[in-house]
Amino acid sequence: MSAEHTHDEHGTAHAEHEGMTKKKIWQVFFYMLGITAIEFFIALYLLPKGILGHGMGNFIYVILTLVKAFYIVAYFMHLKYEKFALKTGIMVSLVFIVYFIILMLTEGSYQYLHMN
């Protein structure tokens, strides 16, 4: 039996990360490469030409970066294959962190606008 297989208490072998094949790794790589190409296109063409506003460009960057972060965490850090409780704990923490960042940015802009 190879090192990739583990045994449960009944002696049944399970593949540790059965969904991660070379094909899937390359597929995720090319998804992320495509997203990065879109980000470069926005930064080097759409924003300088004025086709897209900076606020909308930043919003799109954040969304695309979160999509790339999902692929990294889900596939390369193998979170996709973890138990539901671990996924839920991480997602709840992420929601609170994003909420905290939004609150701090809102408070910071409020202070900046009303101190002048």
Side-chain angles (χ1 to χ4, degrees):
M1 193 125 315
S2 70
E4 290 185 28
H5 294 282
T6 58
H7 295 278
D8 63 9
E9 63 271 9
H10 303 292
T12 309
H14 297 284
E16 189 172 325
H17 303 291
E18 43 189 88
M20 286 305 292
T21 61
K22 284 185 181 180
K23 179 181 177 185
K24 188 66 175 176
I25 290 171
W26 282 108
Q27 183 181 17
V28 171
F29 169 77
F30 284 114
Y31 286 157
M32 292 175 55
L33 183 64
I35 292 169
T36 303
I38 292 169
E39 289 175 336
F40 272 95
F41 179 71
I42 291 169
L44 299 175
Y45 183 75
L46 295 180
L47 290 178
K49 299 274 186 189
I51 298 171
L52 190 65
H54 285 283
M56 182 57 82
N58 287 340
F59 179 74
I60 293 171
Y61 286 145
V62 169
I63 297 301
L64 292 175
T65 301
L66 288 174
V67 170
K68 286 195 306 189
F70 164 78
Y71 278 115
I72 291 168
V73 171
Y75 291 99
F76 296 127
M77 296 174 71
H78 307 290
L79 187 61
K80 184 175 190 286
Y81 307 104
E82 294 295 339
K83 294 185 182 197
F84 179 74
L86 179 62
K87 290 181 199 178
T88 304
I90 291 172
M91 290 307 298
V92 168
S93 300
L94 178 65
V95 167
F96 280 118
I97 290 169
V98 169
Y99 179 66
F100 178 71
I101 290 170
I102 291 170
L103 284 177
M104 292 299 105
L105 290 173
T106 304
E107 183 68 21
S109 65
Y110 176 82
Q111 290 287 338
Y112 176 75
L113 293 173
H114 290 87
M115 296 297 278
N116 294 331

